Amino acid sequence: QVQLVESGGGLVQAGESLRLSCAASSGRTFSDYYMSWFRQAPGPGKEREFVARISKIGISKYYTESVKGRFTIFRDNAKNTVYLQMNSLKPEDTAVYYCAATKGYSGSYYDPPQYDYWGQGTQVTVSS
């Protein structure tokens, strides 16, 4: 079992930055897990969408197109923590952000059911 706890969300103005953290606690090695960030915007019909993914030792990273060049995912396996640095925030980035963990994929890394463990989410609100 892996417990994930996100922090770092808040209310900011457009153009500002936030850094989200996701701390993992488990009896297993943090570096055994691929880690990703997802978000879910407010409103009916809004699904949880992929934001960024990082490989087990942090070499490969993937981003959804809308955040490329603005967001950076990185991890510190010694601290069992994955981060999402978000710069140049836009109102459309407003969402609850979740971190997720999986040891491996049977399908696409951007598909939420591929992940076994989820945090409770942290709210990010960007005002215009």
Side-chain angles (χ1 to χ4, degrees), residues 2-128:
V2 177
Q3 289 80 44
L4 302 174
V5 179
E6 302 97 335
S7 61
L11 172 62
V12 297
Q13 293 187 333
E16 294 184 339
S17 298
L18 281 174
R19 178 178 292 184
L20 306 183
S21 300
C22 172
S25 60
S26 76
R28 301 184 183 274
T29 304
F30 184 61
S31 59
D32 283 347
Y33 295 88
Y34 296 96
M35 298 298 298
S36 288
W37 287 95
F38 287 77
R39 65 187 179 186
Q40 189 163 11
K46 295 291 187 179
E47 297 184 350
R48 196 167 294 191
E49 66 167 354
F50 170 80
V51 176
R53 191 209 87 160
I54 190 167
S55 60
K56 295 179 180 182
I57 57 173
I59 292 178
S60 65
K61 303 176 183 182
Y62 299 93
Y63 300 92
T64 193
E65 193 63 34
S66 63
V67 308
K68 285 181 180 177
R70 300 188 299 121
F71 290 12
T72 302
I73 187 171
F74 58 103
R75 66 192 295 165
D76 185 338
N77 286 344
K79 296 183 177 179
N80 291 353
T81 302
V82 62
Y83 304 91
L84 185 69
Q85 178 66 42
M86 305 186 296
N87 298 330
S88 302
L89 281 161
K90 303 176 180 180
E92 51 263 44
D93 295 318
T94 295
V96 177
Y97 283 72
Y98 300 89
C99 64
T102 184
K103 296 190 77 174
Y105 301 93
S106 59
S108 301
Y109 60 82
Y110 48 82
D111 191 11
Q114 293 293 318
Y115 293 82
D116 301 308
Y117 305 103
W118 293 83
Q120 81 291 347
T122 186
Q123 176 70 48
V124 172
T125 303
V126 184
S127 63
S128 57

